[in-house]
Amino acid sequence: MRSKNTKIKDKQIILLERFQAEEKLTVMEIMDLLECNRTSAYNYIKRLEESGYILTKEQIKNKVYYSLNFHENKESDAIQYYPMTADILRKFTIIRELQEGAIKKEELRKHFTVYRQDGLYNGEEQVPLDIKPTQYYKLLNDLIEEGEIVLDQEEQKYYLTGYSIPLQITLNEDDLVNMQIELSTIPAGTPYYEQLKELYISMSLLLGSIDSDTPYIENYLTYGKKMNGFSTVTEQLKKITTYDYKNKVLQITYLSNQSQELTLPIATGMIIYSVEKDKFYLLGEDYSIEDQLARPRYTIIDIAKIIDVHEKMDSHSCFHSQFFESIFDAMFSISIEPPVNVIVEFERVANVERKVKYLQMQRKNASIQVQENKILYTDQVSGLADFANYLRRFGKSARVIEPLLLKEKMRQSVELSLARYEEEHT
């Protein structure tokens, strides 16, 4: 709900815009424009004059018209400003405390030295605020009505909106690295993609992590492996995209993982780019099966290993079908295995908790239950081998509850590590 002060400011801007359009308005026309009474119309005119605008009155055929005096208003295009008051400074003090993040309603008040009823300050290490509790809560309500902060009714926390005061984020080095990693994988369809990309470039410069998207790349020396991403695979994609792969079956000749040359009729279900592997993959259905009632066979093809492609006359309806969409939601890396329900228990320590919460944000079917000393992670995963590789990063901090197959993969990994250790020390 908009506050009375906000509505007044909005109407004042509407009136100013009409005057800046070189319109002449009578008081009756101002009343109709702003849907107000005569007294309020005169008050709006007075507010404009108090803000530094010079208005001219002239009588035309028994009617008085108001207009903006452009000759006197040399700065008529300047942004409207409001006088600095003590309450504005107090509001800024409150907003500054919320710049580090949301704060619970009852905790925010403890940040300030609000006067007590006996006139004494409450606290010594708090931010000075020379007002009594009633005025403090009035300022908070004003900030909510003005759209500067919001109170989440469920969490009972105050959040900044960034409506007219830019949000500021303070990051330590670990936070900066983690945010840069998250921004590096944001797809082009993400809201505010261009702004986030600019932020990513700035963070990369700060961290010395330069890539081909960074401006003036020729001015930097880069060391180690560099993911070139889409720039190196555009030509490979043309092997597929020059054909009607969404509707027609393609006869594809490619090299398997065992370096065997295979030729199969494939109905394309999905084309996926793996950031980790810096490759494009085609997920599709093998149309070489003559028995239409037989269980369909699905395959994955590394597009870089495609040798030849021909378009067939046969049509298909596999592209982004429900099956491939569900596989995509469940796959941990590149996989077409049937999704499996997994439950993993993580130790609740700061670094682990942050990583698990970030993982849950990236996974459509994932959920977590945060308990006192542990985090219970539940998900549907396609590709248990890749998921097991991921879990090994946590060491003893991750314990698989189900399925049994994932438990076996984790146990075999430990046994192989111990075997290698024994070989190296015998």
Side-chain angles (χ1 to χ4, degrees):
M1 183 175 179
R2 298 176 67 79
S3 68
K4 183 178 179 182
N5 288 339
T6 303
K7 291 178 180 178
I8 289 173
K9 292 176 183 178
D10 290 344
K11 290 185 176 182
Q12 192 169 338
I13 291 172
I14 291 171
L15 180 59
L16 178 59
E17 288 175 346
R18 291 291 290 269
F19 280 140
Q20 288 178 329
E22 301 188 23
E23 288 193 36
K24 296 180 180 180
L25 301 172
T26 65
V27 172
M28 286 295 296
E29 289 170 336
I30 294 174
M31 290 166 60
D32 291 339
L33 174 66
L34 304 181
E35 298 179 350
C36 64
N37 58 32
R38 182 177 292 273
T39 302
S40 295
Y42 282 116
N43 286 335
Y44 283 116
I45 293 171
K46 183 179 178 182
R47 287 191 188 94
L48 284 180
E49 291 176 333
E50 289 175 347
S51 297
Y53 293 96
I54 300 173
L55 300 180
T56 298
K57 285 197 309 183
E58 58 179 316
Q59 187 169 331
I60 304 175
K61 294 182 180 181
N62 297 325
K63 289 186 178 180
V64 177
Y65 288 84
Y66 289 84
S67 62
L68 195 63
N69 190 325
F70 286 92
H71 178 71
E72 295 293 335
N73 283 283
K74 295 180 180 179
E75 303 295 330
S76 60
D77 292 331
I79 298 175
Q80 184 181 4
Y81 70 93
Y82 296 96
M84 183 69 71
T85 65
D87 276 351
I88 288 178
L89 293 174
R90 291 166 183 145
K91 288 178 181 179
F92 177 76
T93 302
I94 294 172
I95 287 174
R96 188 172 57 187
E97 286 302 296
L98 290 169
Q99 286 286 2
E100 293 295 325
I103 300 175
K104 280 192 171 292
K105 184 178 179 179
E106 66 272 13
E107 291 296 323
L108 181 60
R109 186 177 178 276
K110 297 177 183 178
H111 284 228
F112 306 105
T113 55
V114 177
Y115 276 124
R116 301 190 314 199
Q117 293 298 325
D118 55 11
L120 299 175
Y121 278 120
N122 178 29
E124 297 179 356
E125 298 180 357
Q126 299 160 308
V127 178
L129 202 60
D130 59 332
I131 52 176
K132 294 181 180 180
T134 52
Q135 191 175 357
Y136 163 77
Y137 288 114
K138 181 182 181 302
L139 291 179
L140 276 176
N141 290 332
D142 287 347
L143 286 169
I144 291 173
E145 291 178 350
E146 291 165 4
E148 300 295 346
I149 65 175
V150 292
L151 174 62
D152 186 292
Q153 295 297 335
E154 184 177 345
E155 297 183 349
Q156 286 294 295
K157 284 184 176 182
Y158 288 110
Y159 289 82
L160 289 184
T161 65
Y163 176 67
S164 61
I165 299 175
L167 302 179
Q168 300 174 6
I169 301 176
T170 303
L171 302 172
N172 58 34
E173 187 173 353
D174 287 341
D175 293 334
L176 192 65
V177 171
N178 290 330
M179 183 174 286
Q180 193 245 8
I181 292 171
E182 292 180 26
L183 290 175
S184 68
T185 61
I186 288 179
T190 304
Y192 307 105
Y193 172 75
E194 291 300 327
Q195 291 89 335
L196 292 173
K197 183 179 178 182
E198 289 296 321
L199 179 60
Y200 167 72
I201 291 171
S202 300
M203 297 174 80
S204 297
L205 290 172
L206 284 172
L207 295 169
S209 175
I210 316 299
D211 60 29
S212 57
D213 289 329
T214 308
Y216 315 113
I217 185 68
E218 65 274 10
N219 295 335
Y220 296 90
L221 292 174
T222 53
Y223 301 91
K225 182 179 179 182
K226 182 174 68 175
M227 289 294 194
N228 293 316
F230 292 101
S231 62
T232 61
V233 291
T234 303
E235 291 300 319
Q236 296 173 14
L237 267 181
K238 289 181 181 178
K239 297 176 182 178
I240 302 296
T241 57
T242 51
Y243 299 95
D244 186 12
Y245 64 94
K246 296 180 182 179
N247 303 297
K248 296 291 185 180
V249 176
L250 301 180
Q251 189 81 4
I252 300 177
T253 301
Y254 66 101
L255 290 176
S256 69
N257 291 334
Q258 292 75 34
S259 298
Q260 292 180 314
E261 188 173 309
L262 303 176
T263 300
L264 292 174
I266 301 293
T268 304
M270 196 172 274
I271 295 176
I272 297 176
Y273 174 70
S274 171
V275 176
E276 294 84 1
K277 299 178 181 179
D278 193 29
K279 289 182 179 181
F280 273 103
Y281 293 89
L282 184 151
L283 276 60
E285 183 175 337
D286 180 356
Y287 260 47
S288 64
I289 301 174
E290 295 182 2
D291 184 0
Q292 297 297 322
L293 298 178
R295 184 177 179 180
R297 291 188 297 176
Y298 301 99
T299 187
I300 298 174
I301 298 176
D302 181 349
I303 290 181
K305 295 184 178 181
I306 291 178
I307 300 170
D308 191 32
V309 179
H310 292 288
E311 186 177 300
K312 295 174 67 68
M313 295 298 294
D314 302 323
S315 298
H316 71 85
S317 57
C318 295
F319 191 71
H320 282 213
S321 65
Q322 185 176 356
F323 171 81
F324 284 103
E325 290 284 357
S326 62
I327 285 292
F328 178 74
D329 290 338
M331 68 170 60
F332 196 80
S333 183
I334 302 298
S335 173
I336 51 171
E337 295 177 8
V340 177
N341 291 326
V342 302
I343 301 176
V344 183
E345 183 183 280
F346 293 91
E347 290 183 8
R348 192 184 178 191
V349 293
N351 194 40
V352 171
E353 182 173 2
R354 174 176 53 79
K355 290 180 179 179
V356 173
K357 286 183 176 180
Y358 177 63
L359 174 64
Q360 185 260 334
M361 289 169 58
Q362 308 304 309
R363 304 281 302 166
K364 185 174 181 179
N365 300 315
S367 63
I368 59 174
Q369 295 179 19
V370 180
Q371 301 173 5
E372 185 176 354
N373 297 317
K374 62 184 180 181
I375 304 168
L376 207 61
Y377 177 87
T378 306
D379 199 355
Q380 286 185 326
V381 174
S382 171
L384 289 183
D386 289 310
F387 188 56
N389 285 335
Y390 174 79
L391 292 179
R392 290 183 190 111
R393 303 178 189 177
F394 293 89
K396 293 182 179 179
S397 296
R399 184 174 70 88
V400 175
I401 297 177
E402 63 177 58
L404 181 61
L405 180 58
L406 183 57
K407 284 185 177 181
E408 286 296 314
K409 289 183 180 294
M410 297 296 289
R411 183 184 60 79
Q412 290 168 6
S413 174
V414 173
E415 290 175 352
L416 286 172
S417 297
L418 290 173
R420 291 194 192 99
Y421 178 82
E422 290 174 359
E423 288 175 1
E424 291 174 0
H425 292 79
T426 55

